Amino acid sequence: MPKSDLDRQIHLNIEENVPLAPFTSFRVGGPARFLIGVRTLRELQEALRFAERMKLPFCILGGGSNLLVSDAGFPGVVIRLLMNRVTRSGGMVQVQAGFDLTALVHRTVGWGLSGLESLAGIPGTVGGAVRGNAGAYGGAMADVLATVSALDAGTLQPLTLRRDQCAFAYRDSRFKREPGLIVVGALLALTPGDRGEIGSKVAETLAKREAKQLSCDRSAGSFFMNPMVDDAVLIRRFEEDQGVRCRECRIPAGWLIDQAGLRSLKVGGAAVSHRHANYLVNTGAATAAEVVELARLVKKEVQVKLGVVLKEEVSPVGLVI
Ligand SMILES: Cc1cc2nc3c(=O)[nH]c(=O)nc-3n(C[C@H](O)[C@H](O)[C@H](O)COP(=O)(O)OP(=O)(O)OC[C@H]3O[C@@H](n4cnc5c(N)ncnc54)[C@H](O)[C@@H]3O)c2cc1C
């Protein structure tokens, strides 16, 4: 732990009954009983002690770009990770969990370091991206991770995990399965390269996202994960329709939702985006209950019409989906 953290007297800024919707890209959901923004490991430990003393559950908030918060909110302590230091030594980049992922991509372009280009434009923090192994265009966060620094919420002990100890898989990790392990930082192993070339790749990624309108707001991005499909007829139909080979037998959930005829389906203020069928969007004043009902309908229809079971990528807070 840095000495400056030890020396500092811990004074938490604890806010009560704070609406969570503004902290999420969906702009949906009720209040947190308590909200605490933490800037150091010690503050995080103190926030966890506070939750323990109050006998309340806790939940970690990063950039809020993959969350669906219940209309009733969260009856516990929401801890917002704000630690955002980044340092570089050669190709190794040490970054804290609260650092914005896209800002990190741009920072590494400036340093002439390659490895994060395909992640440009993914909203949220480094911590959220590690936990969900965020990715796009064939790349994912885990590809560049050397180690992950975490805090065990049970013992309050920090630990460092090698990449092979983190059980990374498609949009999955040990941190997702063990919510008591909080990601506080990451050491990335990047490759020195030509700044201009790296910058061009980042620009290409951003242009591809822009063309697909992947930045539309009031959503949590892809609501469902791309499922593994073993139906050879469906795979062939997808490949012929899209003119691409199916990667690892995963078919984009958006294509399946589209094929099921659900583009623009609505429940109250929640709708399947007409631009990207795997984006469920809040058209204005959607409630979480409406989003959940829309997701349920989408899953049911895709299963009935195409025989595929969709699984949520989005993280629920204060509700079960
Ligand atoms: C327009 C749009 C486009 C998107 N495009 C993509 C894409 O191309 N690829 C992709 O993979 N995702 C995409 N997403 C989803 C989202 O950006 C990612 O899942 C992102 O990594 C979430 O990070 P976050 O900091 O916002 O996490 P949050 O939404 O704050 O949290 C998500 C979950 O992670 C947990 N969490 C957050 N930080 C930590 C931490 N430090 N330690 C432990 N748990 C933590 C939270 O408790 C919660 O369960 C998109 C979202 C939007 C809105």
Side-chain angles (χ1 to χ4, degrees), residues 28-94:
V28 163
R33 168 94 190 273
F34 294 103
L35 176 72
I36 308 177
V38 297
R39 295 190 177 276
T40 65
L41 190 60
R42 283 202 72 199
E43 286 183 5
L44 173 57
Q45 289 166 319
E46 208 45 47
L48 290 165
R49 281 197 194 97
F50 172 78
E52 169 121 45
R53 272 201 307 281
M54 299 296 288
K55 297 192 180 8
L56 290 173
F58 76 88
C59 149
I60 300 296
L61 173 66
S65 63
N66 199 28
L67 292 182
L68 178 59
V69 178
S70 138
D71 295 315
F74 184 68
V77 182
V78 172
I79 303 174
R80 187 165 177 230
L81 298 192
L82 299 169
M83 51 278 248
N84 65 355
R85 269 181 293 186
V86 61
T87 54
R88 171 225 176 170
S89 171
M92 306 304 286
V93 172
Q94 181 76 57

Side-chain angles (χ1 to χ4, degrees), residues 25 60-67 81 97 122-125 127-129 131 134-136 171 181-183 209 214-216 219-221 279 313 315:
S25 52
I60 300 296
L61 173 66
S65 63
N66 199 28
L67 292 182
L81 298 192
I122 299 180
T125 60
R131 183 252 185 202
R171 302 294 172 269
L181 274 185
I182 302 167
V183 177
R209 294 184 73 92
L214 291 186
S215 60
C216 70
S219 80
Y279 278 29
E313 182 174 321
S315 304

Side-chain angles (χ1 to χ4, degrees), residues 18-232:
V18 182
L20 286 173
F23 291 96
T24 72
S25 52
F26 237 137
R27 299 284 187 271
V28 163
R33 168 94 190 273
F34 294 103
L35 176 72
I36 308 177
V38 297
R39 295 190 177 276
T40 65
L41 190 60
R42 283 202 72 199
E43 286 183 5
L44 173 57
Q45 289 166 319
E46 208 45 47
L48 290 165
R49 281 197 194 97
F50 172 78
E52 169 121 45
R53 272 201 307 281
M54 299 296 288
K55 297 192 180 8
L56 290 173
F58 76 88
C59 149
I60 300 296
L61 173 66
S65 63
N66 199 28
L67 292 182
L68 178 59
V69 178
S70 138
D71 295 315
F74 184 68
V77 182
V78 172
I79 303 174
R80 187 165 177 230
L81 298 192
L82 299 169
M83 51 278 248
N84 65 355
R85 269 181 293 186
V86 61
T87 54
R88 171 225 176 170
S89 171
M92 306 304 286
V93 172
Q94 181 76 57
V95 59
Q96 292 187 314
F99 204 89
D100 181 82
L101 180 63
T102 293
L104 178 66
V105 174
H106 290 298
R107 187 72 68 93
T108 58
V109 173
W111 285 332
L113 292 176
S114 169
L116 291 176
E117 296 89 323
S118 68
L119 307 187
I122 299 180
T125 60
V126 167
V130 170
R131 183 252 185 202
N133 192 17
Y137 304 113
M141 195 66 207
D143 300 348
V144 293
L145 286 172
T147 60
V148 176
S149 315
L151 183 77
D152 183 324
T155 61
L156 297 186
Q157 290 304 307
L159 62 159
T160 302
L161 298 164
R162 292 188 316 271
R163 178 176 47 179
D164 62 309
Q165 296 175 304
C166 299
F168 285 116
Y170 168 72
R171 302 294 172 269
D172 199 7
S173 75
R174 183 170 168 186
F175 311 100
K176 200 165 181 178
R177 287 156 192 264
E178 297 178 43
L181 274 185
I182 302 167
V183 177
V184 294
L187 180 65
L188 316 183
L190 303 177
T191 313
D194 180 78
R195 199 182 292 182
E197 269 174 34
I198 299 165
S200 303
K201 281 191 199 151
V202 166
E204 256 170 51
T205 302
L206 292 172
K208 273 193 246 170
R209 294 184 73 92
E210 196 56 40
K212 282 193 169 179
Q213 297 182 307
L214 291 186
S215 60
C216 70
D217 56 3
R218 290 181 179 262
S219 80
S222 294
F223 197 92
F224 299 103
M225 293 197 248
N226 295 334
M228 293 274 243
V229 171
D230 55 13
D231 176 343

